[in-house]
Amino acid sequence: MNQQTAVPPPMDGRDPSNLRGDKITGDRYFSKDFAQKEWDHLWTKIWHIAGRTADIPEAGDFMVHNFMKESVIAVRQEDGSVRAFYNSCGHRGMRMVDGTSSVASFHCPYHGWKWGIDGVLEYAQDGDVDFRKGNPCGKLKLGELRCAIWGGFVWYCMDDDGPTLEEFLEPMPALYRNYPMDTAVRVAWYRIELDANWKFVTDNFSESYHTRTAHPQVPPWIDQDVDSARHEMWPKGHGRTVQPMRPSLSDRPEGGGNAMFEAELRKWDVDPGKYATYEDFALQGWKDLKAAKQKLWKEKGYLHYEHMNDEEITDSPHTVMFPNVTISFLPDNLILFRSEPHPADPEKCYFDLWCMAFPVEGQTEVESIMAGVKPLREVPECEHRVFDKGRGIPELAGQIVYQDMELAENMQAGMHSRGYKDAYLSDQETRIRFFHEVLNDWIEGRG
Ligand code: FES
C-alpha cells in the first residue's frame, strides 16, 4: 500500500456540535432486524482483518477467517502476494479448510476436487469424461475477494466496489507510518465469546471516561484525565485518544509511589528519586523519559523507535478504526481489540485480543500489557474461550480487558430496560455517538 504522507486535521473528539445527535437506542444492541441491516450494508461492504501476515510467510500458507456465516481463506502466493477466496468449493459449495496451515492445493473433502492456491481448479474426478461442457479444470475458479495488506495485517473486502483499503482506513496509514507495525510479534492471542453486542466494544474503546471507575490500576501509569488526553476523530469514523504514559495527577497511588512509572524511568537510566514533588515526578519525569529514550534507544536495542517521534515513544494513542477494530499503539506494544457479531444472536459477540510486542534486542520476555508477561515469540494458535462471567479466562482476571468484558455484559442487560432511551454523554464521550452516526450512514447507504 502506498503510505499517505499528509494527515488531514482531525475533528475535535470532545465537541458534540460536530454531530447530528442521532439517538443511541437500546434496540441497536439486540434487534435481529438491525443486525441484518448491519450484515447487508456494513459487514459485506467494509474491510476485515483476516490475520497477521506473519502467520502465512510461505507460498501455500493460508489462514481462514470465519465471519458470521461467511468463511474466507487468505493464502500466500508464489510471488509473495496474498489473495483471498471464499472458503466454498466451486463444485457444490463445501467449506473446505479451517484454521491456519499450509497446502500445495486446497483439497475438497467431499468429491476430491483440488483448487490451486491461485484459486484455479486443478483436478476434478472424471473431469475429462463426465462433464458435457468439458473438463472444468483450468477454467473454474474459487470466488475471489479484494485483498490488501496494511500494518502487518491481511485485510479483505466482500464488496468488489467501494473504497480501497487505503481509502477506507484514511488517515490511519499516514498517521501511523512511523511504527514498524509488521515487525510486531503476537505474544498473546484470544477469541472470547461474550454475552454482549459487538458495538459495546467499540463504544467502550471510544472513551476513557470509564477508566477511573473501572480500571483504577491505569491512572497511575497512563494519564487519561480529560484535559491531559487529546480526543480526535476523522470523517470515515476513525478516532483516537492520545494519552500521555505518565502518572495522572488526579488519581495518585497511596503514599505517592508508583512502581510502574518508577521502573520505566529506571529502565531508561532516569533516577525516579530525584524529583521533589509528585507533580515533578509525573511531568518532568515524563519529559526526562522522552529525552532519555531519544538519546539511548539505539544503544538499548529499541530499534523500532528509529522513525517514531517524541509523542510516539512515550505516549499511547488508543485508536478505534471504524467499525470494530481498536489498536492501542504503545511505545513497545500494539494491542488489537476487535469485536465481531455472533452469526445467530445479536446479544453475543466474539472479542478478539491480540497482544503484540516490538522485539527489543536482548529481550526474551515482554509485558503484553493485557495478558501479563509472555515469551517474546509468535503464539502458534488462538485460544478460543467463552467468557462465562469471567470463569472462562481466569488467567486474565483483574486485567483491563477482563474488567471491560464484565461491564459489556451488564451494559447488554441494561439495553432492554424501558427506562433507557438514549445515552447522556459527556463531551469526552462524543466519539461514541460519532461511531453510531457513521454506522447509521453505512446502514442508510451514505457510508
Ligand atoms: Fe467440493 Fe464436491 S463439494 S468436490
Side-chain angles (χ1 to χ4, degrees), residues 89 91-94 108 110-113:
C89 178
H91 178 221
R92 296 270 310 283
M94 179 89 176
C108 181
Y110 199 174
H111 309 92
W113 286 23

Side-chain angles (χ1 to χ4, degrees), residues 20 28 47 49 65 67 78 90 93 98 105-106 161 178 198 245 290 300 307 327 354 357 418 434:
R20 296 187 295 263
R28 303 167 71 82
W47 286 86
I49 294 176
H65 181 226
F67 184 92
E78 295 290 352
D98 201 8
S105 55
F106 295 105
D161 304 316
N178 295 339
W198 69 273
M245 289 181 71
K290 284 181 189 290
K300 287 185 178 287
H307 301 292
I327 301 179
W354 302 0
R418 295 168 62 83
F434 178 55

Side-chain angles (χ1 to χ4, degrees), residues 88-96 107-115 121 123-125:
S88 175
C89 178
H91 178 221
R92 296 270 310 283
M94 179 89 176
R95 186 168 291 186
M96 298 186 291
H107 187 177
C108 181
Y110 199 174
H111 309 92
W113 286 23
K114 288 184 185 171
W115 303 86
L121 184 64
Y123 168 80
Q125 180 179 309

